[in-house]
Amino acid sequence: MSTSNDAHRAELIAQFIAAGQTLYERGYASGAAGNMSQLLPDGTVVATPTGSCLGKLKADELSLVDQQGNLLSGPKATKEVLFHLAIYRNNPEVKSVVHLHCCYCTAYACLKDLDPNNAIRPITPYVVMRMGQVPLIPYYKPGSIHLAEDIGQVAAGHKAFLMANHGMITCGKDMTEAVNNAEELEAACQTYFLLQGQAERIRYLTADEIAELMPH
């Protein structure tokens, strides 16, 4: 007979698979790009396997790792699971992590001279309200331990990150929040590019307006 913990675990994994499918179907992930993870109640982490498609995940084909990244069951986890684990270790509010190479966020992350402490200069209130500041992580080869080290250093208190010339990461207390944050971050970057023909006319939010919106 299933225990309540077994049922909760199964529910989390079902939500995980559904999140991957919706991200894939809506064009936020293509091919085998991107990865996700979910912290389970027993402290282990379920993650997308290396080379997997977010739209075709199956419960019995997911990777299970411990907090050090050691494989407990399933196929080899994504090589980027190390930065997922760094986020969980340094931000106890986070239970779900999504990493995508979606078009507008990735294009935005390729720009020079972004603020490393807050890469998204706010045009609308929504990224600020939901995620606060969005640090920029310097470029490293995908899977590099340096990515995990740098992300771990700024993970506390943050729900989103841009990775220079690479993509984005969003987090949440559950997978729904992590996915919602990913969609909001992509929309913010898309808005920036839509306004580039009118760059000199963009009204950015003021420091006082931003402070009023910051999550507390």
Side-chain angles (χ1 to χ4, degrees), residues 57-169:
L57 301 175
K58 297 180 180 179
D60 59 353
E61 296 177 0
L62 299 175
S63 305
L64 186 70
V65 301
D66 64 17
Q67 290 283 339
Q68 289 69 49
N70 298 309
L71 185 64
L72 300 176
S73 66
K76 182 179 179 181
T78 169
K79 62 181 177 290
E80 297 186 315
V81 73
L82 294 178
F83 72 65
H84 293 244
L85 298 173
I87 294 171
Y88 294 129
R89 284 195 298 269
N90 290 282
N91 191 341
E93 295 180 359
V94 170
K95 308 298 181 187
S96 305
V97 176
V98 169
H99 164 51
L100 301 171
H101 306 159
C102 44
C103 181
Y104 290 100
C105 281
T106 303
Y108 190 93
C110 292
L111 297 174
K112 294 181 179 180
D113 302 322
L114 297 176
D115 183 348
N117 297 311
N118 187 23
I120 304 291
R121 187 178 176 188
I123 301 171
T124 67
Y126 304 108
V127 167
V128 181
M129 290 171 65
R130 293 173 182 169
M131 288 164 270
Q133 294 186 333
V134 181
L136 178 70
I137 309 303
Y139 175 79
Y140 297 105
K141 178 183 176 181
S144 169
I145 185 61
H146 300 301
L147 273 175
E149 292 170 347
D150 281 17
I151 291 169
Q153 289 177 6
V154 296
H158 291 109
K159 294 183 178 180
F161 314 85
L162 281 181
M163 307 163 76
N165 302 89
H166 186 155
M168 56 96 102
I169 306 166

Side-chain angles (χ1 to χ4, degrees), residues 13-34:
I13 291 175
Q15 292 171 355
F16 184 84
I17 292 170
Q21 185 172 9
T22 190
L23 288 168
Y24 180 78
E25 290 177 348
R26 298 183 66 184
Y28 291 93
S30 58

Side-chain angles (χ1 to χ4, degrees), residues 41-57:
D42 63 1
T44 59
V45 174
V46 63
T48 49
T50 184
S52 60
C53 173
L54 297 191
K56 300 178 182 179
L57 301 175

